[in-house]
Amino acid sequence: YKYNNNGELIGEGLRSYFNKSTAQRTKYKGYKGNDLPWDGTFEAFEKNNPNGVEIGINDTVVKQYDEFHSYCQNNGIKVIMVFTPIYSPALKYMRDSNRIMTLFNSYAAKYDVPLLNYLDDPICREKKYFYNSQHMNIHGAELFSAKLANDLKPIVQNFAQAADTTRRQ
């Protein structure tokens, strides 16, 4: 949905997934872990924003997000919302994080979709899993990916069971 107006990027993503990419072949199905050390940008952000910042909620994006969920619901597309880990000290600098989470919780309830929130996961408290406050390094990404796959398994099984039940009726 995010790339709906960028056919070239969509095509490259599909080619990459099927190992037919024309781009540099350093990714596996679109993934390339970054084995990078902590870059220090968070410390600079802290220094420049001692009172934090408001991320903000863009009304146009909210409308598009609502349209996305409506589209998926109307077309039988299952959605799972995921908040991936970020380095937990960064959260205290996001003054409107509660407002943003409230919005996403409301979408999860409105459209009856699972919301997996990893913002309080133990990974978030370990700088060694990040190369900056918002992005995991290869070690964090692989640890989180295994955890996410494990958490997705019962949700996907429930989706499949519900689909089987619907087909039988």
Side-chain angles (χ1 to χ4, degrees):
Y1 191 80
K2 178 179 177 182
Y3 302 106
N4 66 349
N5 292 318
N6 193 333
E8 184 179 320
L9 191 57
I10 292 169
E12 180 54 36
L14 290 169
R15 286 188 298 276
S16 175
Y17 181 81
F18 292 107
N19 292 320
K20 305 281 186 205
S21 177
T22 56
Q24 187 179 12
R25 299 200 186 271
T26 59
K27 295 181 180 182
Y28 174 72
K29 294 187 177 184
Y31 170 75
K32 177 186 178 201
N34 292 303
D35 193 11
L36 300 172
W38 183 254
D39 68 8
T41 56
F42 176 65
E43 290 78 9
F45 175 82
E46 278 182 304
K47 183 178 178 184
N48 294 329
N49 301 281
N51 297 317
V53 296
E54 286 201 21
I55 304 301
I57 297 176
N58 180 300
D59 292 337
T60 301
V61 172
V62 168
K63 182 177 183 259
Q64 290 174 336
Y65 198 72
D66 196 47
E67 290 170 358
F68 167 77
H69 277 286
S70 293
Y71 176 85
C72 291
Q73 189 174 47
N74 293 334
N75 289 280
I77 299 168
K78 300 298 183 190
V79 173
I80 302 169
M81 297 167 53
V82 179
F83 268 91
T84 59
I86 65 170
Y87 184 53
S88 59
L91 279 176
K92 75 178 187 178
Y93 290 93
M94 296 178 197
R95 293 192 313 243
D96 54 352
S97 61
N98 288 336
R99 193 169 125 226
I100 292 168
M101 279 308 302
T102 298
L103 178 65
F104 281 98
N105 283 322
S106 74
Y107 276 113
K110 179 178 180 179
Y111 292 104
D112 191 28
V113 299
L115 172 60
L116 300 175
N117 182 350
Y118 294 93
L119 294 179
D120 194 35
D121 191 89
I123 291 173
C124 298
R125 294 185 282 281
E126 298 288 339
K127 189 188 281 189
K128 68 182 179 182
Y129 295 129
F130 294 86
Y131 65 87
N132 66 35
S133 64
Q134 305 296 308
H135 296 95
M136 289 176 276
N137 60 29
I138 194 168
H139 309 290
E142 290 180 2
L143 180 64
F144 172 66
S145 293
K147 184 178 287 200
L148 178 61
N150 191 50
D151 293 345
L152 286 173
K153 193 174 187 175
I155 295 169
V156 172
Q157 287 172 340
N158 285 341
F159 284 166
Q161 289 171 351
D164 285 345
T165 301
T166 302
R167 278 193 295 270
R168 289 184 199 142
Q169 293 174 352

